[in-house]
Amino acid sequence: MGIARRKLFCRFQELQRLHGRTKLCLPCRKVFALRRPSLHKVLDYEDEFFALLMSVLESHSLRTTDGSFSESLYGLRRRPVNVSVNRSNPGAESNVKVYDSALRKRQKTLSVVFLVVLPYFKSKLQSVYNKEREARLQASLWDQGEVRFDEAGFVSDQQGETSQAQVETTAGEVSHLTRLRTNFAALIGVCYPWIHATHEGLSFAYQLLYLLDATAFYSPGLHVLGLHVCRATGQELMDSSSRISRIRSRELERLRGPPWLKTVQRVLLNCTHTTLDYAQTGLIAAVFFFKMMEWWYQSAEERMSAPTVYPPPPPPPLPKVAKDGLPLPTDRTLCPLCCQKRNNPSVLSVSGFVFCYSCIFKSVSQHKRCPVTLMPATVEQIRRLFHDL
């Protein structure tokens, strides 16, 4: 039971990390920005759009399966720790029990807050902390005063000389807002590391205790909500399907207006339900599609930036035998100096001809040239060969 629980938890954590990072990847942003420059400003708010999309997906998943988007992919659901038990026949001594384990509306709302809202604010605090940290680093490197980042991301010197544009601003609220932003950024710079360390430490402790079967909660959020994750039974899946059918039938019955308006509303509801039903599969397909695009554009950039590979140049032509030089024997295995089979073969690098080592060493030492081509040579240009071809 413990091993299966650990394997399932590891797979679920891997999928949850992938699901948490399912944002518009960098190559797609580059393509959109190049093809449609008007979408560049929209892509600057990708965190907000991503949070809105995930809030819709998580709300729909909690409404239909009583589990988050990642949990529902593995057939898991959230169940309250204190489950109310109702006997099917209170008067009889029967062991048949009916568990009321459905999530309440408040628990679903708080689950969306812990899954979407809190991570969104944490990412924003992380960006503010990064800007504040970079400003402090620049202040320490440039030996300036208090260097801060304004809202647009530019560096502003708080203790430097006041520019003419700031003097001309007559509204005192601007300096007040700037002071508030500066104090808030300084506060985040001091408090965020402790907040981040506390969150990561609690998450690690809960996950470790969960793997050791010491607790029923794998995250602090589930402990606060009083929920634990378990595998959904077949009866629970059937109940969820019937509950979804009842909810959708009630939505269709509440339609009001003339017949043509009801038809339009019915079509829109059906399209919405179909989109939400296939949202999980579509999102997983989108992840693989974005990864394929990332690989495709990365490969194309590598091909474009790779240096041109030219074929190796042909070898230089063989040196010509001088008229007054030593003639070459017909048998290439013989030494041109002693006309015997080469012993300890060595090549003279200036000409490329092979001799016996003792023969060529004596010849070059005396005449300072190649005996065949009469090219100037020294004994340092003699190279011994360890395999006579």
Side-chain angles (χ1 to χ4, degrees):
M1 180 63 183
I3 298 176
R5 187 178 186 180
R6 295 187 185 96
K7 291 182 178 179
L8 181 61
F9 175 74
C10 294
R11 293 176 61 190
F12 171 68
Q13 287 295 104
E14 182 180 358
L15 179 63
Q16 197 172 31
R17 288 193 297 268
L18 179 62
H19 161 249
R21 297 172 184 172
T22 311
K23 294 186 180 181
L24 199 60
C25 57
L26 184 60
C28 299
R29 294 186 62 182
K30 291 181 179 179
V31 173
F32 284 146
L34 292 176
R35 301 289 178 87
R36 298 290 186 273
S38 59
L39 295 177
H40 192 274
K41 294 183 178 180
V42 179
L43 293 177
D44 292 336
Y45 297 95
E46 64 169 341
D47 291 335
E48 286 73 17
F49 285 106
F50 179 76
L52 180 61
L53 173 63
M54 294 314 303
S55 62
V56 174
L57 291 178
E58 297 290 0
S59 301
H60 174 71
S61 180
L62 289 168
R63 182 186 180 188
T64 55
T65 63
D66 286 342
S68 66
F69 181 81
S70 301
E71 294 163 355
S72 61
L73 291 178
Y74 281 104
L76 304 175
R77 58 166 297 174
R78 297 189 173 196
R79 178 181 295 171
V81 177
N82 299 323
V83 180
S84 59
V85 180
N86 299 323
R87 294 186 181 273
S88 59
N89 189 2
E93 297 181 356
S94 176
N95 293 327
V96 179
K97 300 178 182 180
V98 178
Y99 293 88
D100 186 12
S101 60
L103 297 181
R104 302 295 185 265
K105 185 177 181 179
R106 175 177 172 274
Q107 293 172 334
K108 295 179 181 179
T109 304
L110 292 178
S111 296
V112 174
V113 172
F114 276 94
L115 290 170
V116 180
V117 179
L118 293 184
Y120 167 75
F121 283 111
K122 187 174 182 294
S123 65
K124 289 301 180 183
L125 292 178
Q126 177 73 36
S127 63
V128 175
Y129 171 74
N130 291 336
K131 290 182 180 180
E132 175 69 14
R133 183 181 179 184
E134 186 175 355
R136 291 183 179 181
L137 180 60
Q138 290 183 358
S140 62
L141 292 178
W142 297 343
D143 194 17
Q144 294 179 353
E146 290 292 331
V147 179
R148 303 293 183 194
F149 276 89
D150 55 11
E151 187 177 1
F154 298 100
V155 180
S156 60
D157 191 354
Q158 301 294 334
Q159 295 182 358
E161 297 181 357
T162 307
S163 62
Q164 184 178 0
Q166 292 176 345
V167 174
E168 294 177 354
T169 57
T170 58
E173 298 178 357
V174 177
S175 60
H176 181 67
L177 291 176
T178 304
R179 193 180 306 110
L180 288 178
R181 291 171 183 171
T182 302
N183 295 334
F184 177 73
L187 180 63
I188 294 302
V190 174
C191 298
Y192 181 77
W194 297 97
I195 298 174
H196 180 71
T198 303
H199 176 265
E200 295 297 326
L202 284 176
S203 299
F204 175 76
Y206 270 89
Q207 292 177 7
L208 181 62
L209 293 175
Y210 182 79
L211 291 176
L212 297 176
D213 293 336
T215 181
F217 313 99
Y218 74 87
S219 69
L222 291 176
H223 198 173
V224 172
L225 296 176
L227 304 175
H228 68 95
V229 178
C230 60
R231 188 174 297 277
T233 62
Q235 184 63 34
E236 290 174 343
L237 295 177
M238 295 175 60
D239 294 341
S240 299
S241 300
S242 61
R243 185 173 67 253
I244 295 172
S245 300
R246 290 195 302 270
I247 293 174
R248 293 180 177 180
S249 61
R250 285 197 299 267
E251 290 178 353
L252 293 176
E253 292 175 357
R254 285 198 297 264
L255 298 179
R256 296 293 182 269
W260 64 271
L261 183 58
K262 289 184 179 181
T263 303
V264 173
Q265 293 176 351
R266 187 178 295 106
V267 172
L268 292 177
L269 279 177
N270 291 332
C271 293
T272 304
H273 295 159
T274 304
T275 303
L276 293 175
D277 290 339
Y278 292 96
Q280 294 180 354
T281 306
L283 188 58
I284 295 175
V287 171
F288 285 103
F289 175 73
F290 286 149
K291 287 298 181 182
M292 185 186 68
M293 289 187 63
E294 183 179 2
W295 168 81
W296 177 266
Y297 284 101
Q298 184 177 1
S299 301
E301 291 177 358
E302 290 178 355
R303 288 195 300 267
M304 293 177 62
S305 60
T308 304
V309 180
Y310 297 97
L318 295 176
K320 296 181 180 180
V321 179
K323 293 182 180 180
D324 299 335
L326 192 68
L328 295 175
T330 56
D331 189 359
R332 292 188 176 185
T333 61
L334 302 180
C335 174
L337 291 173
C338 62
C339 296
Q340 296 180 2
K341 189 173 180 62
R342 287 188 293 258
N343 184 18
N344 198 359
S346 301
V347 62
L348 190 61
S349 61
V350 296
S351 61
F353 291 104
V354 183
F355 309 86
C356 297
Y357 179 78
S358 58
C359 298
I360 190 60
F361 187 84
K362 292 178 182 180
S363 177
V364 172
S365 298
Q366 294 178 2
H367 305 287
K368 305 295 182 184
R369 62 183 180 180
C370 176
V372 178
T373 61
L374 303 182
M375 297 174 64
T378 60
V379 292
E380 287 79 8
Q381 295 174 333
I382 300 175
R383 301 289 183 270
R384 296 182 60 179
L385 301 179
F386 296 94
H387 181 68
D388 191 7
L389 297 176

